[in-house]
């Protein structure tokens, strides 16, 4: 039962709740008033810095604006002075003109002193620039009024020299001594170089503030006097080139000694500009020199440029600059001395002359010159040697690839000499008499310099390749007789193998040594070139191939170069067998049988070698020879069958080795293919003749498999062999109108079914039963067709309807049984 309070008690409770609600309402109203005030305050003043609008930054700095204004002012005043001089000059007398220009010039040159004292360095620079421009106008006025008959070019030379000296003196003389506070108050954009700035700190002393424009302008004016003077005198190209090189040398000295950055920049521009002009002109004079005298004068010019470059390399403050200058100097020295030698020697000795000068630069290695200079000279020598090697490259390429042209002219007759051997399909390069000398010198230099350097191995490899190239081109260059050329190339192959064998690397790693590997490859390349060159005559071909086969076989037997030389011996042996067949007049399919000697030899060698590194290369070469034999016999079916059978026998012999069991599959495929080709050659059309040679070995292998592994499935053991015969025979039986094949196939299938049932083997049982059923259907097919023809047309639809009715009745019966089971389960309690 529910308890209800009395009216007095309930009234008291309500009053208490109302008082609490009033108190809570007062608190909420106070909080609301505070939040309203806070929102108004935030709207008046942003509370976060990110909410403030971004301030606009000036697009140009104050120093930049100042410099632009000063430059524009100076340019406009200069333009006004030029206009006054050229246009308004005639309105004044001689005294007036002199007074105006002189006064304005002196005022413009004197004003920067007062501006510097007030700390206005940028303005002083602008006014000084105006004053120097006025001095140029003064010189022009002097020529037009006082010396009008003087030649313009000569006067310009003298005026530029005077202006250069005047501006230099002005730049050195004008300046004021300013306390650190005054100097430090200047804008950073107009402050002097680092060497002109005072030291920071309380102990900084007063410094001298000078102008920066006069000295660079003086250096620009100093570039012109000599060149303008020789132009006024009508000097020749050699004199002008000498003047240009002297100017570049003077600029080099200034660039090395100057402390002001603008002066160094002007000097460097002069060095590269005048230097490039002078070097190109001197090089052209040296190359076009008609005699020793002209070549000597051009060499003197190049020597001056080289001396300047080497002086820069000696005193350059940066290592990279010193290296580049020394490289340039070395190349210029070679060009100078080589040009002199070229003028007194025949054209064929041009490259050796320059190469000799380049090699002579290596003498600097044993001197005490600074390391950057020494490295630059060595690098210049390397550049000269590389260029010399490039000049010999066409001759080497023609000698190496030229004999390939004899492939289309096999045994057409011996050529006249060794040069005719290599020029079958390519022209002979000109001026090649000294190519062997050039290659030999390069090889000797690499061999000598590489012994004591960190790059000893690359140097020795390069020397080996260059020495080989020397011997390669020597017979063709000397036009030796054809047999002598073959003998020289054979000796080179032998020498390369000897070098490869004498290298002493780590045990068993000879072919991993770059020198040994290079020598072995060179021997192989030489033997191929020699074999191609020997194709000119039959006797040379047989002799060279036989000698190469024996040579590489001995190298594989007596050295550890076998992974490379053993396959090479087999390749040459394959070519030898082809040559023997051709020499005997055999057809290609008969020659294929002789080629099979190589795969057989390779299989025997591989079995003897075991796990040697030579095994895989030997086997691969033998397989390639076998493929060649098959390709040569493909035009004659009986010989192709014999070739395939012999290849299968060789493969089967290889499969006897435990590590080559997988080759057995290839052997079986080759033997089966050989039998098929033979049957096709006999025009046998019965499929059993093709399938039974596969089925019998397959069943034998399956029987052995089941004996060794009783758990092996009958499908794995017997399925492939049985299917290989049953399926083709079954297809043939269905199309055969005679009774013999179906009878034999059904008898075999019945026996196979009984065998499968007797031994409880699934594969024979299923395959035999299916085959027997299909054969039986094939035999009953005519009778079934007769029965079908005898039936009326309504019988098949009626039979189909009965089948459908029976299926429907069965389905309905199963549904009724399901309902009864459901009702019975529902009645259970």
């Amino acid at each position: 039962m529910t308890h209800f309070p009395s009216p007095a008690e309930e009234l008291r409770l309500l009053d208490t709740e109302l008082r609490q609600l009033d108190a809570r309402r007062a608190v909420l109203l106070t909080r609301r008033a505070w939040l309203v005030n806070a929102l108004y305050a935030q709207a008046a003043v942003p509370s976060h810095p990110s909410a403030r609008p971004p301030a606009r930054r000036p697009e140009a700095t104050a120093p930049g604006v100042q410099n632009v204004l000063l430059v524009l002012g100076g340019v406009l005043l200069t333009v006004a002075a030029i206009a006054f001089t050229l246009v308004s000059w005639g309105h004044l007398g001689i005294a007036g003109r002199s007074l105006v220009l002189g006064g304005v010039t002196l005022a413009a040159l004197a004003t920067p002193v007062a501006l510097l004292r007030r700390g206005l360095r940028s303005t002083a620079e602008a006014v000084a620039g105006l004053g120097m421009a006025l001095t140029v106008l003064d010189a022009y006025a002097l020529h037009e009024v006082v010396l009008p008959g003087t030649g313009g070019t000569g006067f310009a030379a003298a005026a530029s020299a005077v202006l250069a000296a005047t501006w230099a003196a002005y730049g050195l003389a004008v300046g004021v001594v300013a306390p650190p506070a005054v100097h430090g108050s200047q804008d950073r954009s107009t402050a002097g170089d680092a060497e002109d700035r005072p030291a920071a700190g309380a102990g900084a002393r007063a410094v001298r503030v000078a102008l920066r424009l006069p000295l660079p302008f003086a250096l620009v004016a100093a570039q012109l006097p000599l060149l303008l003077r020789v132009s006024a005198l009508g000097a020749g190209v050699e004199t002008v080139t000498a003047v240009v090189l002297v100017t570049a040398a003077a600029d080099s000295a200034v660039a090395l000694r100057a402390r002001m950055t603008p002066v160094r920049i002007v000097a460097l521009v002069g060095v590269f500009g005048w230097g490039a002009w002078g070097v190109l002109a001197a090089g052209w004079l040296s190359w076009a020199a008609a005699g020793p005298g002209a070549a000597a004068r051009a060499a003197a010019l190049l020597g001056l440029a080289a001396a300047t470059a080497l002086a820069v390399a000696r005193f350059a403050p940066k290592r990279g600059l010193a290296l580049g200058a020394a490289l340039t100097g070395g190349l210029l020295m070679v060009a100078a001395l080589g040009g002199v030698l070229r003028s007194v020697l025949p054209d064929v000795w041009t490259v050796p002359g320059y190469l000799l000068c380049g090699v002579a630069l290596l003498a600097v290695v044993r001197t005490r010159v600074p390391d950057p200079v020494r490295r630059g000279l060595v690098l210049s020598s390397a550049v000269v040697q590389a260029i010399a090697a490039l000049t010999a490259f066409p001759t080497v390429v023609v000698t190496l690839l030229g004999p390939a042209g004899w492939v289309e002219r096999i045994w057409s007759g011996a050529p006249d000499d060794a040069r005719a051997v290599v020029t079958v399909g390519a022209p002979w390069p000109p001026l090649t008499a000294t190519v062997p000398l050039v290659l030999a010198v390069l090889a000797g230099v690499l061999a000598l310099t590489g012994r004591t350097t960190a790059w000893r191995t690359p140097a020795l490899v390069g020397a080996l390749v260059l020495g080989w190239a020397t011997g390669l081109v020597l017979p063709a260059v000397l036009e030796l007789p054809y047999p002598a050329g073959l003998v020289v190339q054979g000796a080179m192959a032998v020498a390369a193998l000897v070098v490869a064998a004498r290298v002493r690397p780590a045990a068993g790693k000879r072919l991993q040594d770059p020198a040994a590997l290079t020598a072995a490859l060179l021997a192989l390349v030489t033997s191929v070139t020699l074999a191609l060159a020997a194709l000119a005559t039959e006797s040379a071909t047989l002799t060279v191939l036989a000698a190469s086969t024996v040579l590489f076989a001995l190298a594989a037997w007596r050295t550890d170069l076998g992974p490379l030389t053993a396959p090479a011996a087999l390749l040459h042996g394959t070519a030898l067998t082809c040559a023997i067949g051709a020499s005997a007049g055999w057809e290609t399919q008969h020659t294929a049988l002789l080629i099979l000697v190589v795969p057989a030899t390779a299989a025997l060698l591989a079995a003897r070698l075991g796990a040697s590194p030579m095994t895989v290369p030997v086997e691969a070469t033998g397989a390639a020879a076998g493929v060649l034999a098959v390709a040569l016999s493909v035009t004659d079916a009986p010989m192709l069958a014999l070739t395939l059978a012999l290849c299968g026998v060789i493969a089967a012999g290889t499969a006897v080795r435990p590590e080559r069991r997988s080759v057995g599959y290839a052997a079986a495929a080759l033997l089966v293919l050989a039998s098929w080709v033979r049957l096709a050659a006999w025009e046998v059309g019965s499929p059993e003749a093709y399938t039974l040679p596969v089925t019998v070995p397959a069943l034998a292998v399956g029987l052995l498999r089941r004996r060794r592994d009783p758990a092996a499935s009958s499908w794995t053991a017997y399925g492939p062999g049985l299917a290989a015969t049953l399926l083709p025979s079954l297809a043939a039986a269905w199309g055969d109108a005679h009774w013999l094949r179906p009878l034999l196939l059904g008898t075999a299938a019945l026996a196979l079914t009984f065998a499968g049932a007797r031994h409880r083997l699934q594969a024979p049982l299923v395959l035999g039963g299916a085959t027997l059923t299909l054969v039986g259907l094939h035999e009953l097919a005519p009778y079934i067709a007769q029965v079908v023809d005898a039936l009326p047309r309504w019988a098949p639809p009626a039979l189909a309807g009965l089948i459908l009715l029976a299926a429907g009745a069965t389905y309905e019966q199963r549904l009724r049984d399901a309902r009864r089971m459901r009702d019975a389960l529902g009645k259970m309690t």
Side-chain angles (χ1 to χ4, degrees), residues 46-54:
S47 59
H48 196 274
S50 61
R52 299 174 182 175

Side-chain angles (χ1 to χ4, degrees), residues 88 95 99 102 153 164 167 276 279 296 332 376 391 394 422 453 464 480 527 549 719 741 763:
S88 302
L99 290 175
T153 306
W167 291 349
V279 167
L332 291 174
T391 60
V422 301
T453 59
L464 184 62
L480 296 179
S527 67
T549 303
R741 177 177 280 113

Side-chain angles (χ1 to χ4, degrees), residues 172-579:
L172 295 174
V174 175
V176 297
V177 177
V182 175
H183 185 77
S185 63
Q186 299 182 48
D187 192 275
R188 291 184 182 272
S189 63
T190 61
D193 291 344
E195 60 268 21
D196 297 331
R197 298 174 184 172
R205 298 176 298 174
V207 295
R208 183 177 183 274
V209 180
L211 295 174
R212 301 177 65 194
L213 287 181
L215 291 181
F217 277 78
L219 184 58
V220 171
Q223 311 293 313
L224 304 176
L226 291 178
L227 183 60
L228 292 175
R229 184 58 182 172
V230 295
S231 298
L233 296 176
V237 178
E238 295 176 348
T239 305
V240 173
T241 304
V243 168
V244 169
L245 291 175
V246 169
T247 305
D251 287 335
S252 302
V254 174
L256 292 174
R257 302 287 296 177
R259 301 180 61 186
M260 293 181 63
T261 301
V263 175
R264 286 198 299 267
I265 293 175
V266 173
L268 289 175
V269 171
V271 169
F272 288 108
W274 299 121
W277 179 4
V279 167
L280 291 177
W284 179 80
L285 290 173
S286 177
W287 187 258
R297 291 190 295 271
L301 296 175
L302 290 172
L304 174 60
T308 302
L310 293 177
V312 172
R314 173 64 179 83
F315 298 103
K318 296 183 179 180
R319 183 180 181 87
L321 178 60
L323 183 65
L327 170 62
T328 304
L331 293 177
L332 291 174
M333 291 174 61
V334 171
L337 298 177
V340 175
L341 294 177
R342 176 177 170 273
S343 65
V344 297
L345 295 175
D347 291 341
V348 73
W349 290 95
T350 298
V351 175
Y354 283 103
L355 178 60
L356 178 63
C357 298
V359 173
L361 290 178
L362 295 177
V364 75
V365 174
R366 299 186 178 276
T367 61
R368 295 183 179 181
V369 297
D371 183 68
V373 178
R374 180 168 61 253
R375 289 180 179 273
L377 292 176
V378 171
L379 186 59
S380 63
S381 176
V383 171
V384 173
Q385 295 179 53
I387 295 174
L390 288 177
T391 60
F393 184 73
T395 306
V396 176
V397 171
V398 171
T399 306
L400 186 62
L401 302 180
W406 289 101
V407 174
E408 299 178 353
R409 304 172 60 184
I410 296 177
W411 297 352
S412 59
D416 297 334
D417 50 42
R419 181 175 295 182
V421 175
V422 301
T423 55
V424 178
W428 184 250
L431 303 177
T432 58
T434 57
V435 169
L437 176 62
V438 171
L439 295 173
V441 170
L442 293 174
V445 170
L446 278 179
L448 292 176
T449 59
R451 294 184 303 174
T452 58
T453 59
W455 41 279
R456 179 177 181 273
T457 299
L460 293 180
V461 170
L464 184 62
V465 173
L466 290 171
W468 168 80
T470 303
L472 181 69
V473 303
L474 189 61
V477 171
L478 298 180
E479 298 183 80
L480 296 179
Y482 175 64
L486 297 181
V487 171
V488 171
Q489 288 194 341
M492 287 175 53
V494 175
L497 286 178
V498 170
V499 171
R502 291 181 65 85
V503 176
R504 296 183 178 181
K509 297 182 178 180
R510 184 176 300 275
L511 288 180
Q512 296 182 8
D513 184 83
L517 179 60
T518 302
L521 290 176
L522 291 177
L524 181 59
V525 172
T526 305
S527 67
V528 173
T529 305
L530 178 60
L532 293 174
L535 293 177
T537 62
E538 178 181 349
S539 59
T541 301
L542 296 174
T543 303
V544 167
L545 290 177
S548 299
T549 303
V550 173
L551 174 64
F552 284 101
L554 288 175
W557 177 37
R558 301 298 298 270
T559 67
D560 52 356
L561 298 172
L564 185 62
T565 54
L570 293 176
L571 287 174
H572 285 90
T574 304
L576 178 61
T577 56
C578 294

Side-chain angles (χ1 to χ4, degrees), residues 99-190:
L99 290 175
V100 169
L101 272 181
V104 173
T105 302
L106 292 177
L109 294 177
T111 303
V113 178
L115 294 175
L116 288 176
R117 290 176 179 175
R118 293 181 173 272
L120 302 176
R121 185 170 185 175
S122 299
T123 307
E125 298 282 0
V127 177
L130 174 62
M132 289 185 291
L134 291 175
T135 57
V136 177
L137 295 177
D138 290 337
Y140 170 75
L142 180 63
H143 176 266
E144 292 296 325
V145 175
V146 181
L147 303 171
T150 307
T153 306
F155 180 82
S160 59
V162 173
L163 288 176
T166 303
W167 291 349
Y170 177 70
L172 295 174
V174 175
V176 297
V177 177
V182 175
H183 185 77
S185 63
Q186 299 182 48
D187 192 275
R188 291 184 182 272
S189 63
T190 61

